[in-house]
Amino acid sequence: MSELKAGPTNTLTDVAGVRVGHAQRTGDGWLSGTTCVLAPDAGAVAGVDVRGGGPGTRETDLLDPRNLVERIHAIVLSGGSAYGLATASGVMDALGRKGIGLEMGEPGEVVPLVPAAVIFDLKRGGDFTKRPDAAMGEAAYDAAVASEPGAAVQQGNVGGGTGAKAGGLKGGVGSASLVLADGTTVAAIAVANPMGSPVDPQTGELYAARFGLPGEFDLRQPDPAELETALRLASERELTSGLRYGMATIIGVIATDATLTKAQCQKVAGIGHDGMARAVRPVHTMFDGDTLFAMATGERDAPDMVAFHGLLEGAADCVTRAIGHAMLAAETVEAADIRWRSYREAFPSAFA
């Protein structure tokens, strides 16, 4: 691992050609949003692996290696539960107006391919009807288009992570990247909204921090009194609100500049779940919709088997680290008479 390092921004956009945009609303009953991961105009080869027991997804069958279409044009990660899948239509319409998509006949006659996955965050802002729609999806697309190439991905209470919670704490969007020994870049973005906990209940430490690159997570073991308080508050909330078994989910995208087949992308997505399992416990419950996409831009040559093995390892590590960054970037939120404390507020002694 000594020869491995993060990319320039340590986020998904370290994969050249990939852009990320967020749109969200808060207040007046709102606490939700949408994230658009935009592929290069020519599209990207993609795969998916769904392991949660309660998924909300769109166009995942398209990514089966047995099926025809090779490339997708964007991936959407949204709040709003199944209602939030409408955001992908907004992204699709925006791409179509630009002539980007699967060509179907005359010039401009295209079908953009936009897989999506959603988290459950309904009513976290107080109003069940305030949820992302096609217009918010288009706003996230516009933000991705307007972003500077290679600009760091905004993290925390943004986009699909706006209304996220993680165990008893505030969740959010996080990202991480890795440059492999041969120069290949692999990176991940995750929306951390799991039913399980990203925090070790014995120590208060983030599970993900144990897998960071040197100096990436400069954290201490928290004060036992802070851990006791955090556990007490979580238990009280469970008793009074019944939210312990509310619907949840971690969704995300792994990207690489390597040339991969659809089958290889599916394998990358599957191994990415190993990284998820290192960051959250328990994971893949019947109350989660855990879904990971993988996309390959093909800017670099196809890896041999040894290099592909290294890419798989790196992909899983990026997912773990992305979840860690989501927890550290999340900020405390008060909405609908509930205070979702951030990790930073709950465990201030963890920070040097």
Side-chain angles (χ1 to χ4, degrees), residues 69-322:
V69 173
E70 288 289 324
R71 291 176 175 265
I72 56 90
H73 303 95
I75 296 173
V76 173
L77 309 173
S78 185
S81 189
Y83 290 105
L85 293 173
T87 57
S89 293
V91 175
M92 187 176 179
D93 289 342
L95 285 164
R97 286 195 295 272
K98 291 193 173 183
I100 298 172
L102 181 65
E103 296 180 359
M104 300 300 293
E106 299 295 327
E109 295 180 344
V110 297
V111 177
L113 302 174
V114 184
V118 292
I119 67 166
F120 185 97
D121 60 3
L122 294 174
K123 208 176 179 180
R124 292 204 181 136
D127 188 334
F128 188 87
T129 67
K130 302 293 179 68
R131 57 223 179 197
D133 56 11
M136 187 175 286
E138 186 165 345
Y141 168 84
D142 289 341
V145 171
S147 64
E148 292 291 329
V153 175
Q154 187 179 1
Q155 303 177 68
N157 300 11
V158 294
T162 302
K165 68 177 184 69
L169 298 173
K170 182 69 180 76
V173 171
S175 194
S177 71
L178 190 66
V179 180
L180 304 177
D182 65 357
T184 298
T185 298
V186 60
I189 186 171
V191 178
N193 183 64
M195 190 197 83
S197 176
V199 177
D200 187 335
Q202 302 300 316
T203 66
E205 296 172 284
L206 284 176
Y207 290 123
R210 303 169 186 175
F211 300 93
L213 298 176
E216 183 172 18
F217 297 109
D218 187 13
L219 300 172
R220 303 170 178 171
Q221 184 169 314
D223 188 296
E226 294 172 358
L227 175 60
E228 182 180 353
T229 298
L231 292 172
R232 175 179 57 80
L233 291 175
S235 178
E236 290 175 358
R237 180 171 295 141
E238 178 182 346
L239 290 173
T240 59
S241 68
L243 288 173
R244 174 70 176 90
Y245 292 104
M247 300 301 286
T249 296
I250 297 175
I251 54 179
V253 177
I254 301 165
T256 180
D257 53 7
T259 296
L260 301 179
T261 65
K262 284 178 72 176
Q264 287 176 314
C265 284
Q266 187 178 55
K267 186 65 174 178
V268 170
I271 294 295
H273 281 274
D274 294 353
M276 191 186 296
R278 291 198 290 264
V280 174
R281 182 178 181 188
V283 72
H284 304 148
T285 75
M286 294 304 292
F287 301 95
D288 289 287
D290 300 332
T291 299
L292 286 178
F293 298 96
M295 56 191 293
T297 64
E299 290 296 313
R300 295 179 62 87
D301 292 340
D304 61 23
M305 288 305 298
V306 173
F308 184 58
H309 174 79
L311 192 155
L312 292 173
E313 283 192 77
D317 288 345
C318 284
V319 171
T320 302
R321 293 163 48 223

